[in-house]
Structure formats: C-alpha cells, structure tokens
Amino acid sequence: MDGPLTGVRVLDVSTILAGPLCCRILGDHGADVVKIEHPEAGDGMRGHGEAKDGIPLWWKEISRNKRTVGLKLSTPGGADLLLRLAKTADVLVENFRPGTLERWGVGPEQLHAVNPALVIVRITGFGQTGPYASRAGFGTLAEAMSGFAHLTGEAGGPPTLPAFGLADSICGIAASSAATMALYARERNGGRGEVIDMNLLEPIMDAVGPGPTVYDQLGVVGERHGNRSTNNAPRNTYRTKDNRWVAVSTSAQRIAERVLELVGHPEVIAEPWFATGLGRAGHADLLDEYVGGWIAERTEAEVTAAFEEAGAAIAPIYSARDLVENEHVRSTGMLTTAQDEDFGPLLMHNVMWRAERAPGRIRFTGRPLGHDTDDVLGELGVDADELARLRAEKVVA
C-alpha cells in the first residue's frame, strides 16, 4: 500500500493553492489523484513562485502524486468526460465561483446522478451562500477579514499580511480532513456521498482564536502587539551578540520561572503579578529588558545551549537555508528528496505526518500539462480516434 487512501480516486478540479494542497495531501497518502486543468491555460499555479530553466519549482511539490489531464469543462464534450470520470471517483474537489459547475451542467445534482457515492468538496472564498458568495475570493482577502492582519504587526503600525499563502494552506489542510471524514461517514451511512461547503475565511478565523467570543462577552477587541503576546510574557524575538534572532516562549508558568532564573533575575518570580500569564504580560517591558539584555551579550549557540540546559523554551529564527541545513529537520525526514524527470534529485517537503503502518509516500513529482490525458481517458474507453477529434476541437490536451 502507498498509504491509507490506496484505492481511493480523487478528481482535482481546483486551481492555485487551497484545493490543490488538499488533493496533494490525499495523493501523498495513497489516493489516485487526477488533476483536471484547462487544456490551454492550465492551472495558474504553474506560474507561481520561482522557476528553474523555465520549469516552475512549486508545481513540482503541489502537484506531486497527481496525474494531469487537459480538459475544457465549459464545453459539452468536456462536461461529458468529467461526468464519465466522476463515475469512477470517490472525491471531487473544485473551487470555481458558486454556480459555475451548475452552469456547465456538472454541478452536484448531475455528479450525484452518475455517482451517488461521490464526495464533493467545494472551496470558495466565502461559501456557497450568503451575501458575499459571488465575490472573488483569494487567501489575502481571508487573511484580512479573519482578524489575522488586524492582530499582526507592531503596535501603532499598519496591519500586516503574511508573505505566503497562509489562509489557502490552512483551508487546504482543513479540506483534506473534511474529505476523509466524509469518506469515513460514507462507509457508515450506506454509501451515500456528500457535498462539503468549504471556504477560505472560516478555517483561518478559527486559527486566529476566540476574538469573537471575547468581544461578545467582554466587548474587548484585540490589538497589535508586535511579537508580544497578551496571554504571557516574556514572549518575543531577541537579537543575539552574533546578530542572529531567537524566539522565546513562556506559555507554561514553570518555563517562565526557569527563564528569569537563567537570565539572573529570580527576584521577580516572587512578585504577585508573575504568577499568571496575564500578569506577566502586563510587565512585558521589564521582562523583555531582562531577557533581551541577557541574550544580547551572548551568541546564538551560547544562548541556545543555556536555555536547553535550563529546560527553557527557545528556537532560532530560521530561513529556508537554515531549514535545509538543520540536522533535526533532515534526520526526521521533514524534508526529503524525490526523483524528478527534469531535475533528478529534488528536495521538497515530505508527507505531512508519520504513520507507522501506512505512511504514504511521494510516488512522482508534478507533471507537465496533459501528461496523462491519454492514459486516464483511455481507462474510460476513449479510443485514439475520439482523442484525436477531441484534441482537434481543443476539448482536451
């Protein structure tokens, strides 16, 4: 077995990041993922990120373990082929605006007519219903509306957006969980499929925390505090003597005590306010002065060794280079090398978690547009003459 989803077929009818990440996770754990792309434009994800020799590097990872088919769904011929593929599938993931699949004649009603057991995951910016349903949805908008940007940045400074696809990634991981839950439920409910309404906004809202509950009960709205936390202190980033940065966390009371003992100020531990995270957060200036001053007099190696010996919590601020060179990341397999048709050995993120009996694996990396069209459609009984006609009509690639 290649993973717990061996034997499951997934149709990836999504673009850019959230849907494709969901399907990559399913593929990593054994699912046969068929990537459906526009036969001429392809998935816009092919144009994201850095490229080497004109070949996009992110695509190699986000579309690994996926067979790719060029198929124009907006044509009658393309819609018919999708329905034929749907008969053979367990999961379909799409992220068109609400109503698009219905307009093409391949909405949930038509899909379930040919395959009542199909799990359909619909990813949009704001959901299938509600006043914002028809709006264009991107991760940046979800990061803005979720409360994330409002809480991120220096006090008194502007709201800050992440430099990467945070909302999309959280949504993609959540969507993979939703799909597998629906497959499990299907086994218990007599084989009936499901339609899952997943949006970019809701998962990152949950990740941001209980702000709405706090506002509802206390009328309190959180504000930006830079790298500090309103829940505990010391919690910040600090510069070392050799111009490196480290992050310190003291979420646990005993850890906070160990940090202040280490930096030479055990006297504050006896202060009444030190006994709670909120109390310490109210004295963050003082605690940062003690911790930051101590760290600034030592190198990163010295600081890290001292914190580890004291049983306190610290981590260096890593770049991509640091991750590649880090002994823990490499020895635990968080990064791994896959064989790629274009580049040979290619370093990338590994399967996202470790399972002892059915761990999943990277079978192959992201492929060129239409690489598997003939094989996948051939499995449906589409012969060479019909393929030639469909290509002439620009229905497939």
Side-chain angles (χ1 to χ4, degrees):
M1 290 181 62
D2 286 320
L5 297 181
T6 297
V8 171
R9 171 169 281 192
V10 176
L11 302 182
D12 181 358
V13 195
S14 62
T15 59
I16 306 298
L17 185 50
L21 177 58
C22 166
C23 295
R24 192 210 82 187
I25 293 170
L26 300 179
D28 284 352
H29 291 277
D32 171 25
V33 181
V34 176
K35 173 75 177 177
I36 307 295
E37 300 181 74
H38 190 284
E40 297 169 357
D43 184 345
M45 194 68 189
R46 291 182 180 272
H48 276 53
E50 301 289 342
K52 180 180 179 181
D53 300 330
I55 302 170
L57 294 172
W58 200 352
W59 181 261
K60 294 293 187 178
E61 179 171 292
I62 198 67
S63 285
R64 70 191 188 202
N65 293 331
K66 300 180 186 181
R67 298 192 288 167
T68 173
V69 174
L71 185 59
K72 194 171 185 179
L73 302 180
S74 60
T75 65
D80 176 67
L81 286 170
L82 181 64
L83 291 174
R84 291 167 67 181
L85 283 168
K87 290 181 182 180
T88 73
D90 298 283
V91 178
L92 182 146
V93 179
E94 63 98 359
N95 70 336
F96 294 100
R97 286 200 196 187
T100 301
L101 290 188
E102 288 83 350
R103 188 170 68 251
W104 292 342
V106 289
E109 183 178 352
Q110 292 84 6
L111 291 166
H112 278 155
V114 300
N115 184 356
L118 186 66
V119 171
I120 303 169
V121 181
R122 314 196 75 177
I123 299 176
T124 56
F126 304 103
Q128 296 291 322
T129 62
Y132 293 177
S134 63
R135 289 187 179 184
F138 296 98
T140 297
L141 309 186
E143 289 147 8
M145 293 178 62
S146 64
F148 174 85
H150 175 79
L151 292 175
T152 305
E154 294 298 324
T160 302
L161 294 167
F164 55 94
L166 179 62
D168 277 278
S169 298
I170 294 173
C171 180
I173 296 168
S176 71
S177 177
T180 51
M181 286 184 189
L183 289 173
Y184 178 73
R186 188 179 71 173
E187 298 302 311
R188 297 164 60 88
N189 66 17
R192 296 190 306 275
E194 180 64 276
V195 179
I196 296 168
D197 183 359
M198 173 72 66
N199 65 76
L200 294 176
L201 179 58
E202 205 163 353
I204 190 172
M205 279 178 57
D206 206 335
V208 169
T213 302
V214 173
Y215 174 73
D216 175 69
Q217 295 297 306
L218 301 176
V220 173
V221 175
E223 299 296 338
R224 292 181 287 284
H225 298 281
N227 291 317
R228 287 179 173 175
S229 169
T230 57
N231 299 314
N232 63 81
R235 191 266 199 180
N236 212 327
T237 59
Y238 307 93
R239 193 195 296 265
T240 65
K241 182 180 179 180
D242 52 346
N243 205 33
R244 297 281 291 179
W245 287 91
V246 295
V248 171
S249 175
T250 58
S251 296
Q253 178 69 22
R254 185 65 188 108
I255 298 297
E257 293 171 2
R258 290 171 183 169
V259 169
L260 270 298
E261 289 169 353
L262 173 64
V263 301
H265 288 279
E267 74 280 0
V268 298
I269 298 173
E271 295 288 345
W273 52 262
F274 196 89
T276 67
L278 287 175
R280 297 196 306 275
H283 293 76
D285 286 343
L286 176 66
L287 297 177
D288 275 347
E289 178 185 343
Y290 289 160
V291 176
W294 186 90
I295 289 175
E297 295 174 350
R298 292 160 176 82
T299 66
E300 179 196 342
E302 292 169 339
V303 170
T304 301
F307 266 70
E308 289 181 356
E309 183 177 354
I314 194 169
I317 305 296
Y318 277 167
S319 67
R321 179 194 299 113
D322 297 320
L323 286 171
V324 169
E325 296 174 352
N326 180 258
E327 60 180 357
H328 181 79
V329 170
R330 296 302 291 267
S331 67
T332 56
M334 294 179 187
L335 295 175
T336 191
T337 299
Q339 288 300 312
D340 179 73
E341 292 182 2
D342 296 303
F343 302 124
L346 184 62
L347 187 71
M348 61 176 60
H349 296 102
N350 203 348
V351 175
M352 202 173 287
W353 55 85
R354 312 287 176 267
E356 290 186 2
R357 293 185 174 86
R361 66 187 179 95
I362 301 171
R363 302 185 297 281
F364 52 87
T365 57
R367 292 172 165 177
L369 174 60
H371 181 280
D372 305 286
T373 297
D374 289 13
D375 289 342
V376 172
L377 297 186
E379 294 167 4
L380 298 178
V382 179
D383 60 25
D385 290 339
E386 186 177 0
L387 275 171
R389 176 181 63 79
L390 291 168
R391 282 203 170 89
E393 295 173 356
K394 297 185 177 180
V395 175
V396 304

